[in-house]
């Protein structure tokens, strides 16, 4: 048997490489991957060559300790079973179903501490969304939505939908989602959004008539589109907050900050799941955050977010689908 690993070799170019199945070191386990989720945001930037090559891929994940220079492996949402353990690892780990922050490959070795056991209540497909769900939990921790607030969420891909699901559980006054694709808008409504609109619609009108104050209290920009950040800034009112969960890579951006922005005291907050906000670190660890992400996936039907399952041998098809026909896809899994 050989192991198969996916490499990004150039913009819009992938290569599947075969090697011997790795053997775990004394303190490691080997995982046989069943499915891995493609991150349509970050991974499309890598696929398109829209990331700074000298930037570290992710310093918080051992499997992604390199930079973005081609060729590289990427991905961080693998689900599989432990098929071998090192001499220093308890045999109880054998056959456990686990999630790992690991690139797309059929087999990988890592330490037990880097894995999370998958609850029986979750399918492999749902468990593959754990990294996305953790990001959604992080967005709420950073945005701190409060009772009675008016909230807008830009972007209803997998991460946006999961964020909407969390927000819908809160006693907000209004939750409005914004996305260009009707299928995603319908899903957000089924999760509890009060309204789901096209970006070309009049979003301001959704918050008119609320005096005082006018505008949304909080907006999340999760679409990955730089122009949407301007829209998010425009919809929040005085002293409102915009949480920026999108990473734009090297995409150019032009913000209109010359109008009412300066006088409105609008706060722009970056949010990224690799770290926990220093304000929360006394109470929140990555482990606690992952636990909340599991609970989110257990209480919603996340299987409906998965629109395509593609064998890793056809990974080219999966990335072209996301790149060229995003209207057709939401969650895309590579299978092994």
């Amino acid at each position: 048997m050989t192991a198969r690993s996916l490499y990004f070799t150039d913009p819009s170019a992938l290569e599947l490489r075969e090697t011997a199945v790795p053997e775990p070191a004394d303190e490691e386990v080997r995982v046989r991957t069943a499915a891995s989720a493609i991150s349509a945001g970050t991974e499309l930037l890598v696929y398109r060559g829209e990331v700074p090559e000298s930037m570290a891929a992710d310093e918080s994940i051992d499997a992604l300790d390199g930079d973005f220079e081609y060729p590289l492996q990427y991905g961080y949402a693998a689900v599989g079973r432990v098929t071998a353990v090192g001499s220093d690892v308890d045999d109880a780990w054998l056959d456990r179903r686990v999630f790992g922050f690991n690139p797309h490959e059929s087999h990988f070795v890592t330490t037990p501490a880097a894995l999370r056991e998958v609850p029986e209540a979750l399918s492999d497909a749902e468990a593959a969304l754990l990294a996305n769900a953790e990001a959604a939990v992080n967005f709420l921790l950073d945005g701190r939505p409060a009772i009675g607030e008016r909230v807008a969420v830009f972007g209803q891909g997998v991460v946006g939908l999961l964020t909407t699901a969390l927000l819908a559980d809160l006693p907000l006054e209004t939750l409005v989602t914004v996305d260009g694709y009707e299928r995603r808008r319908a899903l957000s409504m089924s999760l509890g959004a009060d309204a789901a609109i096209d970006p070309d619609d009049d979003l301001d009108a959704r918050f008119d008539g609320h005096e005082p104050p006018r505008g949304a209290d909080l907006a999340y920009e999760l679409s990955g589109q730089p122009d949407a950040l301007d829209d998010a800034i425009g919809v929040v009112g005085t002293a409102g907050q915009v949480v920026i969960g999108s990473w734009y890579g090297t995409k150019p951006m032009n913000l209109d900050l010359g109008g009412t922005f300066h006088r409105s005291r609008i706060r722009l907050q970056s949010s990224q799941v690799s770290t926990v906000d220093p304000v929360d670190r006394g109470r929140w660890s990555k482990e606690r955050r992952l636990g909340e992400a599991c609970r989110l996936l257990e209480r919603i039907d996340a299987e409906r977010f998965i629109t395509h399952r593609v064998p890793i041998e056809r990974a080219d098809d999966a990335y072209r689908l996301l790149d060229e026909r995003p209207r057709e896809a939401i969650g895309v899994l590579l299978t092994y």
Side-chain angles (χ1 to χ4, degrees), residues 238-297:
T238 300
Q241 179 182 200
V242 178
V243 175
I244 308 165
S246 294
W247 183 40
Y248 305 116
T250 59
K251 292 179 183 178
M253 174 180 295
N254 293 299
L255 292 180
D256 179 12
L257 304 181
T260 60
F261 171 81
H262 184 66
R263 294 180 180 177
S264 297
R265 293 186 173 272
I266 294 170
R267 290 164 293 155
L268 304 182
Q269 170 69 51
S270 67
S271 181
Q272 212 282 331
V273 73
S274 292
T275 58
V276 176
D277 190 315
V279 173
D280 293 321
R281 286 178 194 168
R283 296 177 298 112
W284 282 87
S285 63
K286 186 173 180 67
E287 186 64 22
R288 181 181 178 186
R289 199 172 57 184
L290 279 167
E292 193 59 39
C294 275
R295 283 186 284 278
L296 167 62
L297 293 172

Side-chain angles (χ1 to χ4, degrees), residues 63-291:
L64 300 176
D65 60 356
D67 56 28
F68 283 113
E69 183 177 356
Y70 295 116
L72 76 152
Q73 289 182 268
Y74 199 70
Y76 45 79
V79 176
R81 287 192 180 272
V82 174
T83 57
V85 299
S87 59
D88 294 340
V89 179
D90 193 323
D91 285 346
W93 275 93
L94 280 170
D95 203 40
R96 284 188 184 178
R97 198 162 57 108
V98 293
F99 173 91
F101 293 92
N102 199 81
H104 303 295
E105 53 189 350
S106 63
H107 302 76
F108 63 94
V109 293
T110 188
T111 62
L115 298 171
R116 184 176 183 90
E117 190 165 4
V118 174
E120 287 303 316
L122 296 181
S123 67
D124 287 347
E126 290 170 321
L129 302 181
L130 186 56
N132 297 137
E134 185 189 14
V137 173
N138 195 66
F139 294 150
L140 264 72
L141 288 172
D142 285 347
R144 304 182 189 279
I147 185 171
E149 286 198 326
R150 302 187 290 274
V151 181
V153 183
F154 290 78
Q156 291 295 287
V158 172
V159 173
L161 289 167
L162 290 166
T163 303
T164 295
L166 284 173
L167 289 166
D169 284 341
L170 304 179
L172 304 174
E173 180 192 294
T174 305
L175 174 59
V176 178
T177 61
V178 185
D179 197 280
Y181 304 131
E182 193 279 332
R183 184 179 191 178
R184 300 183 185 193
R185 294 196 299 270
L187 273 174
S188 72
M189 290 293 291
S190 73
L191 292 167
D194 297 303
I197 69 172
D198 187 276
D200 293 332
D201 292 343
D202 185 2
L203 181 57
D204 290 335
R206 298 289 173 170
F207 299 104
D208 282 349
H210 298 282
E211 296 284 357
R214 297 189 60 205
D217 300 291
L218 171 64
Y220 286 92
E221 203 306 274
L222 310 178
S223 72
Q225 303 301 318
D227 290 346
L229 181 54
D230 242 355
D231 294 336
I233 293 170
V235 80
V236 296
T238 300
Q241 179 182 200
V242 178
V243 175
I244 308 165
S246 294
W247 183 40
Y248 305 116
T250 59
K251 292 179 183 178
M253 174 180 295
N254 293 299
L255 292 180
D256 179 12
L257 304 181
T260 60
F261 171 81
H262 184 66
R263 294 180 180 177
S264 297
R265 293 186 173 272
I266 294 170
R267 290 164 293 155
L268 304 182
Q269 170 69 51
S270 67
S271 181
Q272 212 282 331
V273 73
S274 292
T275 58
V276 176
D277 190 315
V279 173
D280 293 321
R281 286 178 194 168
R283 296 177 298 112
W284 282 87
S285 63
K286 186 173 180 67
E287 186 64 22
R288 181 181 178 186
R289 199 172 57 184
L290 279 167

